[in-house]
Amino acid sequence: MTFNAAPDRYETMPYRRVGRSGLKLPAVSLGLWHNFGDDKPFDVQRDILRRAFDLGITHFDLANNYGPPDGSAETNFGRHLKDDFAAHRDELVVSTKAGYYMWPGPYGEWGSRKYLLSSLDASLERMGLDYVDIFYSHRPDPETPMEETMGALDTAVRSGRALYAGISSYTPAQTLEAARILKDLGTPLLIHQPSYSMLNRWTEDGEPNLYEALDAVGAGSIAFSPLAQGMLTDRYLDGVPADSRAAKERFLHENDLTEDKMARVRALNDIAEARGQSLAQMAIAWILRRQAKGSPVTSALVGASSVRQLENNVAAVNNLEFSDDELTAIDEFAVESDINKWAQK
């Protein structure tokens, strides 16, 4: 069936400027990490993407290794683009990343110029695109000079294969250094993609913290894993369902769901109910609140395995305001919980 986009798709989604750039992102963006590989039905993927666009989600976030298998999310997304969104390409922000393991040998991961640009070319081929809007260094490389990694991002932009440069999971100090190098090259740092949730608050630590560092260099941020891999939903309030991510040991493990953590999650759920939101909706809205120190988060990056789950998450934008009393109550239970699986070792 031909896809006809909803004419009112831009009427309810808030759009936020990315730092001091000219680009805006929807308050909620869609990540294609877990649910767009070859293990997911193609028609379910199509329904999620179509509904996302109709709800005002214009930003689709990928990486070279998303699947499974690696690369399949980009390949499948390319098919959906051709089938449904070719006429809307200029309305979309498509991002991809490189940094994690992708192929064997010494040039198949991390941050070398050879790997990053080879990976970007392969991503463009898989998606059938001439360019991506944002190309990220997916993680900092402890061995490659940052000048080389940032130089590769600069080349990606200057060659027209990407419009903007981004980084992911960099510390505040690394972020400041990356931004300095990119500025000297003439390609500003657009955005940082950190993990961030009510149970993973590393971005708020340090002097400066990450948001203060981004504010200083004029970059924005998009938070991934805002639902703590599903912990900040009603999925595990009464145990571990047999078909859940934790039961299948897919990045969230059953031993992550300690009684201490779940007691705090249940307390947060009570606060969400008092706000008239689901726990997931409150967790996303909390991500998008104005920070006490530094700029607010530009966008919350969510995944979705169904249209219903997507709609529930996007409904967070209907109530993004928090009273001081609510924030104080949340802070009692929203504490660092040692779940940042992307922390540098």
Side-chain angles (χ1 to χ4, degrees):
M1 181 182 298
T2 302
F3 173 56
N4 295 306
D8 61 349
R9 59 189 176 276
Y10 295 118
E11 293 182 7
T12 56
M13 175 66 72
Y15 296 87
R16 296 180 166 196
R17 188 170 301 279
V18 187
R20 292 195 289 271
S21 76
L23 186 68
K24 292 183 178 181
L25 293 181
V28 176
S29 298
L30 183 63
L32 278 65
W33 180 15
H34 284 305
N35 299 302
F36 290 82
D38 290 345
D39 60 336
K40 301 296 182 181
F42 193 77
D43 59 337
V44 173
Q45 298 177 26
R46 180 191 61 224
D47 291 346
I48 293 170
L49 289 169
R50 287 180 172 185
R51 184 62 178 144
F53 191 61
D54 281 348
L55 289 171
I57 293 179
T58 53
H59 177 32
F60 299 121
D61 179 77
L62 299 104
N64 58 355
N65 63 338
Y66 288 0
D70 294 346
S72 61
E74 289 183 329
T75 299
N76 290 331
F77 181 66
R79 292 174 59 193
H80 293 297
L81 278 171
K82 181 179 179 181
D83 292 346
D84 290 334
F85 300 104
H88 301 285
R89 176 62 183 99
D90 291 338
E91 298 176 60
L92 299 179
V93 173
V94 178
S95 61
T96 196
K97 318 176 198 71
Y100 286 94
Y101 179 85
M102 192 60 188
W103 59 79
Y107 320 118
E109 63 178 326
W110 293 108
S112 72
R113 180 180 183 86
K114 179 172 177 59
Y115 169 64
L116 291 177
L117 294 177
S118 296
S119 177
L120 175 56
D121 288 341
S123 291
L124 292 174
E125 183 174 358
R126 281 191 289 268
M127 290 187 283
L129 291 174
D130 296 324
Y131 70 94
V132 291
D133 297 273
I134 307 170
F135 182 52
Y136 287 90
S137 165
H138 206 166
R139 60 173 172 170
D141 185 340
E143 297 184 353
T144 299
M146 195 175 294
E147 286 82 1
E148 180 175 342
T149 301
M150 295 304 110
L153 296 186
D154 174 67
T155 295
V157 172
R158 290 182 181 277
S159 65
R161 288 123 100 186
L163 300 185
Y164 298 97
I167 57 177
S168 180
S169 298
Y170 281 51
T171 67
Q174 291 169 332
T175 297
L176 291 172
E177 178 66 1
R180 181 193 66 76
I181 295 168
L182 284 169
K183 181 179 179 181
D184 288 346
L185 292 170
T187 297
L189 174 64
L190 174 80
I191 196 167
H192 187 298
Q193 186 175 131
S195 62
Y196 183 45
S197 74
M198 291 193 290
L199 301 179
N200 177 18
R201 302 182 66 166
W202 72 272
T203 55
E204 300 174 10
D205 295 335
E207 294 292 339
N209 70 28
L210 181 63
Y211 301 113
E212 291 171 320
L214 293 171
D215 198 31
V217 300
S221 64
I222 179 168
F224 75 88
S225 196
L227 303 182
Q229 292 298 301
M231 289 177 66
L232 291 169
T233 70
D234 60 7
R235 188 82 161 128
Y236 302 105
L237 294 178
D238 301 311
V240 181
D243 62 344
S244 67
R245 182 180 297 175
K248 296 177 181 178
E249 300 283 302
R250 289 191 61 184
F251 221 78
L252 178 67
H253 301 280
E254 195 164 346
N255 59 13
D256 291 327
L257 306 174
T258 65
E259 181 51 40
D260 174 64
K261 290 176 187 172
M262 294 314 300
R264 287 188 277 110
V265 168
R266 284 188 282 269
L268 291 168
N269 186 64
D270 291 341
I271 298 171
E273 288 183 348
R275 282 172 51 83
Q277 289 183 308
S278 69
L279 176 56
Q281 289 166 353
M282 185 180 78
I284 294 167
W286 182 87
I287 286 290
L288 295 168
R289 78 197 188 286
R290 179 161 294 280
Q291 301 289 333
K293 296 194 298 179
S295 299
V297 172
T298 311
S299 183
L301 185 60
V302 305
S305 59
S306 67
V307 169
R308 179 181 177 184
Q309 184 182 45
L310 173 73
E311 291 173 340
N312 179 68
N313 289 343
V314 172
V317 304
N318 296 331
N319 184 8
L320 297 177
E321 298 300 320
F322 290 86
S323 69
D324 290 341
D325 288 344
E326 286 175 326
L327 290 174
T328 298
I330 288 170
D331 277 340
E332 181 180 351
F333 306 106
V335 299
E336 181 59 43
S337 301
D338 192 29
I339 63 168
N340 183 9
K341 301 177 185 295
W342 304 270
Q344 296 176 47
K345 307 299 184 183

